[in-house]
Coordinates of all heavy atoms in Angstrom, one line a residue:
Q7 N 0.9 -1.2 0.0 CA 0.0 0.0 0.1 C 0.9 1.3 0.0 O 1.7 1.4 0.9 CB -0.9 0.0 1.2 CG -1.7 1.2 1.5 CD -2.9 1.3 0.6 OE1 -3.7 0.4 0.4 NE2 -3.0 2.5 -0.1
I8 N 0.8 2.1 -1.0 CA 1.5 3.4 -1.1 C 0.9 4.2 0.0 O -0.4 4.3 0.1 CB 1.4 4.1 -2.4 CG1 2.2 3.3 -3.5 CG2 2.0 5.5 -2.2 CD1 2.0 3.9 -4.8
I9 N 1.7 4.8 0.9 CA 1.2 5.6 2.0 C 1.5 7.1 1.7 O 0.7 8.0 2.1 CB 1.6 5.2 3.4 CG1 3.0 5.1 3.6 CG2 0.9 3.9 3.8 CD1 3.5 4.8 5.0
I10 N 2.6 7.4 1.1 CA 2.9 8.8 0.9 C 4.0 8.9 -0.3 O 4.8 7.9 -0.4 CB 3.4 9.5 2.1 CG1 3.6 11.1 1.9 CG2 4.7 9.1 2.6 CD1 3.7 11.9 3.2
M11 N 3.9 9.9 -1.1 CA 4.8 9.9 -2.2 C 5.2 11.4 -2.5 O 4.4 12.3 -2.3 CB 4.0 9.4 -3.4 CG 4.7 9.0 -4.6 SD 3.5 8.0 -5.7 CE 3.9 8.9 -7.1
Y12 N 6.4 11.6 -3.0 CA 6.9 12.8 -3.5 C 7.3 12.7 -5.0 O 8.0 11.8 -5.3 CB 8.0 13.3 -2.7 CG 8.8 14.5 -3.2 CD1 8.3 15.8 -2.8 CD2 9.8 14.5 -4.2 CE1 8.9 16.9 -3.3 CE2 10.5 15.6 -4.6 CZ 10.0 16.9 -4.2 OH 10.5 18.0 -4.6
A13 N 6.6 13.4 -5.8 CA 6.9 13.3 -7.3 C 6.6 14.7 -7.9 O 5.7 15.4 -7.6 CB 5.9 12.3 -7.9
V14 N 7.6 15.0 -8.9 CA 7.4 16.3 -9.6 C 7.2 17.5 -8.6 O 6.2 18.2 -8.8 CB 6.3 16.2 -10.7 CG1 6.6 17.3 -11.7 CG2 6.4 14.9 -11.4
D15 N 8.0 17.5 -7.6 CA 7.9 18.6 -6.6 C 6.6 18.7 -5.8 O 6.3 19.8 -5.3 CB 8.2 20.0 -7.3 CG 9.6 20.2 -7.9 OD1 10.4 19.4 -7.2 OD2 9.8 20.8 -8.8
R16 N 5.9 17.6 -5.8 CA 4.6 17.7 -5.0 C 4.6 16.4 -4.0 O 5.1 15.4 -4.4 CB 3.4 17.7 -5.8 CG 3.0 19.0 -6.5 CD 1.7 19.1 -7.0 NE 0.6 18.7 -6.0 CZ -0.6 18.4 -6.4 NH1 -1.0 18.4 -7.6 NH2 -1.6 18.1 -5.5
V17 N 3.9 16.6 -2.8 CA 3.7 15.6 -2.0 C 2.2 15.0 -2.2 O 1.3 15.8 -2.2 CB 3.9 16.1 -0.5 CG1 3.5 15.0 0.5 CG2 5.3 16.5 -0.2
Y18 N 2.1 13.7 -2.3 CA 0.8 13.1 -2.4 C 0.6 12.2 -1.2 O 1.4 11.2 -1.0 CB 0.8 12.2 -3.6 CG 1.0 13.0 -4.9 CD1 2.2 13.3 -5.4 CD2 -0.2 13.7 -5.6 CE1 2.4 14.1 -6.6 CE2 0.0 14.4 -6.7 CZ 1.3 14.7 -7.2 OH 1.5 15.4 -8.4
N19 N -0.4 12.5 -0.3 CA -0.5 11.8 1.0 C -1.8 11.4 1.2 O -2.3 11.1 2.4 CB 0.1 12.7 2.1 CG -0.6 13.9 2.3 OD1 -1.6 14.1 1.5 ND2 -0.2 14.8 3.2
H20 N -2.7 11.2 0.2 CA -4.0 10.9 0.3 C -4.4 9.4 0.1 O -5.5 8.9 0.0 CB -5.0 11.7 -0.5 CG -4.6 11.6 -1.9 ND1 -3.6 12.4 -2.4 CD2 -4.9 10.8 -2.9 CE1 -3.4 12.1 -3.7 NE2 -4.2 11.1 -4.0
Y21 N -3.3 8.5 -0.1 CA -3.5 7.2 -0.5 C -4.0 6.2 0.5 O -4.6 5.2 0.3 CB -2.2 6.5 -1.1 CG -1.7 7.3 -2.3 CD1 -0.6 8.1 -2.2 CD2 -2.2 7.0 -3.5 CE1 -0.1 8.8 -3.4 CE2 -1.8 7.7 -4.6 CZ -0.7 8.5 -4.5 OH -0.3 9.1 -5.7
Y22 N -3.7 6.5 1.8 CA -3.9 5.6 2.9 C -4.7 6.2 4.0 O -4.2 6.9 4.9 CB -2.5 5.2 3.3 CG -2.6 4.0 4.3 CD1 -3.1 2.7 4.0 CD2 -2.0 4.0 5.6 CE1 -3.2 1.6 4.8 CE2 -2.0 2.9 6.4 CZ -2.6 1.8 6.0 OH -2.6 0.7 6.9
A23 N -6.0 6.0 4.0 CA -6.9 6.7 4.9 C -6.6 6.6 6.4 O -6.7 7.4 7.2 CB -8.4 6.3 4.6
A24 N -6.0 5.4 6.8 CA -5.7 5.0 8.1 C -4.7 6.0 8.7 O -4.6 6.1 9.9 CB -5.3 3.6 8.3
M25 N -3.9 6.6 7.8 CA -2.9 7.6 8.4 C -3.0 8.9 8.0 O -2.2 9.8 8.2 CB -1.5 7.1 7.9 CG -1.0 5.9 8.7 SD 0.8 5.6 8.2 CE 1.1 4.2 9.1
T26 N -4.1 9.3 7.3 CA -4.4 10.6 6.9 C -4.3 11.6 8.1 O -4.9 11.4 9.1 CB -5.7 10.8 6.1 OG1 -5.8 9.9 5.1 CG2 -6.0 12.2 5.7
G27 N -3.5 12.6 8.0 CA -3.3 13.6 9.0 C -2.3 13.2 10.0 O -2.0 14.0 10.9
R28 N -1.8 12.0 10.0 CA -0.8 11.5 11.0 C 0.6 11.3 10.4 O 1.5 10.8 11.1 CB -1.3 10.3 11.7 CG -2.5 10.4 12.5 CD -2.8 9.1 13.3 NE -3.1 8.0 12.6 CZ -2.2 6.9 12.7 NH1 -1.2 6.9 13.6 NH2 -2.5 5.8 12.0
M29 N 0.8 11.6 9.2 CA 2.1 11.4 8.6 C 2.5 12.4 7.7 O 1.7 13.2 7.1 CB 2.1 10.1 7.8 CG 1.2 10.1 6.8 SD 1.4 8.8 5.6 CE -0.1 9.1 4.6
Q30 N 3.8 12.7 7.6 CA 4.4 13.7 6.7 C 5.8 13.4 6.5 O 6.4 12.7 7.2 CB 4.2 15.0 7.4 CG 5.1 15.1 8.7 CD 4.6 16.1 9.7 OE1 3.4 16.4 9.8 NE2 5.4 16.6 10.6
F31 N 6.4 14.0 5.4 CA 7.8 13.9 5.2 C 8.5 14.8 6.3 O 8.0 15.8 6.5 CB 8.2 14.4 3.8 CG 8.0 13.4 2.7 CD1 6.9 13.6 1.8 CD2 8.9 12.3 2.6 CE1 6.8 12.6 0.8 CE2 8.7 11.4 1.6 CZ 7.6 11.6 0.7
T32 N 9.5 14.3 6.9 CA 10.1 15.0 7.9 C 10.7 16.3 7.4 O 10.6 17.4 8.1 CB 11.4 14.2 8.5 OG1 10.9 12.9 8.8 CG2 12.1 14.8 9.6
N33 N 11.2 16.4 6.3 CA 11.8 17.6 5.6 C 10.7 18.2 4.6 O 10.2 17.4 3.8 CB 13.1 17.2 4.9 CG 13.9 18.4 4.5 OD1 13.3 19.4 3.9 ND2 15.2 18.3 4.7

């Protein structure tokens, strides 16, 4: 299951509902 992705200068973090709002790239 993809949970977060960085591609073409954008962060995509809506793939995994169980962690929405609880995860982020550290940087």
Side-chain angles (χ1 to χ4, degrees):
Q7 172 75 50
I8 294 177
I9 55 175
I10 192 168
M11 199 166 128
Y12 174 87
V14 200
D15 293 337
R16 279 195 57 195
V17 172
Y18 299 87
N19 59 3
H20 55 273
Y21 296 105
Y22 191 57
M25 281 189 187
T26 299
R28 294 193 299 117
M29 60 166 173
Q30 64 206 24
F31 281 107
T32 306
N33 193 313

